[in-house]
């Protein structure tokens, strides 16, 4: 326990590093995943911009990356990161790997939530003269905003889990803190302290996401 007290500055630094990695990964992966999800929705047969070849290509790419376990993806994308000038360890590498892993999951969540919008809403918008681009980029995201918030909340929780796994390859954050100071030094107090902080972060994210979604859905 005394060792944990001594390590409190490192624990807070690791917490800040986890939040930093999760925030940037969410920004990069969230934006990229949103556009890939919109492309999946728009190009599917019978949709706004049907294109069987494009839809099939994007669908195959998403299905190729999504099932890869994150711990394997970490090792697989390390040479790519280095070729782009990103170090193979540390928070920057964590952001790179988590962004790749999350964007494909986010794209599928976006596509599935857009599909829940009633076709009548789209038909009514087209009948009033709204362009297909306007429907895709403005109407549909607004109509599916509540479920999208819940979907992104789920992803943020998954990103926190990914940062913990990335700690195994020295990508920083609470995962690395728990492994270096807890697991390798046989100190369960340190390990459980990191676990407790992760649980608090996840609970806070879930609470905020649920509150935002509830507010949007009640409009």
């Amino acid at each position: 326990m005394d060792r944990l007290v001594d390590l409190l500055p490192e624990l807070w630094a690791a917490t800040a590093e986890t939040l930093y990695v999760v925030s940037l990964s969410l920004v990069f992966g969230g934006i990229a995943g949103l556009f890939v999800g919109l492309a999946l929705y728009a190009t599917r047969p019978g949709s706004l911009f049907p294109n069987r070849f494009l839809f099939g290509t994007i669908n195959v790419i998403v299905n190729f990356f999504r099932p890869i376990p994150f711990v394997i993806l970490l090792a697989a994308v390390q040479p790519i990161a280095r070729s782009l000038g990103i170090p193979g360890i540390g928070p920057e590498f964590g952001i790179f790997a988590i962004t790749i892993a999350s964007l494909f999951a986010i794209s599928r969540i976006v596509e599935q939530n857009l599909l829940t919008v009633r076709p009548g809403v789209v038909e009514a918008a087209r009948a009033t003269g709204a362009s297909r681009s306007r429907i895709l980029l403005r109407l549909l995201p607004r109509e599916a905003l509540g479920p999208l918030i819940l979907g992104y909340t789920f992803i943020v929780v998954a990103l926190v889990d990914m940062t913990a796994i990335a700690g195994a390859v020295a990508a920083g954050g609470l995962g690395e803190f728990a492994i270096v100071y807890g697991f390798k030094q046989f100190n369960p107090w340190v390990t459980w302290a990191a676990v407790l902080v992760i649980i608090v972060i996840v609970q806070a994210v879930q609470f905020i996401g649920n509150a935002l979604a509830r507010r949007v859905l009640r409009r």
Side-chain angles (χ1 to χ4, degrees), residues 92-180:
E92 285 70 26
F93 173 66
I95 293 168
F96 178 76
I98 294 171
T99 296
I100 292 176
S102 63
L103 83 87
F104 297 105
I106 290 172
S107 67
R108 196 60 83 186
I109 286 175
V110 170
E111 179 203 19
Q112 290 173 354
N113 281 312
L114 293 181
L115 287 171
T116 63
V117 177
R118 289 173 297 170
V121 174
V122 177
E123 292 169 6
R126 297 196 69 173
T128 58
S131 68
R132 290 181 293 178
S133 299
R134 185 183 177 90
I135 293 171
L136 178 65
L137 298 176
R138 299 187 64 177
L139 175 66
L140 288 169
R142 191 173 65 229
E143 289 293 321
L145 186 57
L148 281 174
I149 290 174
L150 291 175
Y152 271 83
T153 302
F154 173 80
I155 285 296
V156 174
V157 173
L159 295 186
V160 175
D161 292 342
M162 289 180 192
T163 60
I165 296 172
V169 294
L174 289 164
E176 184 174 348
F177 174 84
I179 291 170
V180 172

Side-chain angles (χ1 to χ4, degrees), residues 199-209:
I199 291 172
V200 170
I201 293 173
V202 168
Q203 292 296 325
V205 168
Q206 193 66 59
F207 175 80
I208 294 171

Side-chain angles (χ1 to χ4, degrees), residues 14 18 41 49 112 179 183 191 209:
T18 292
Y41 174 87
F49 299 93
Q112 290 173 354
I179 291 170
F183 179 71
T191 305

Side-chain angles (χ1 to χ4, degrees), residues 17 20-21 74-75 77-83 85-97 165-173 176 180:
E17 206 164 58
Y20 166 73
V21 172
L74 272 173
V77 300
Q78 204 169 46
I80 302 174
R82 284 180 172 148
S83 70
I86 300 171
I89 59 173
E92 285 70 26
F93 173 66
I95 293 168
F96 178 76
I165 296 172
V169 294
E176 184 174 348
V180 172

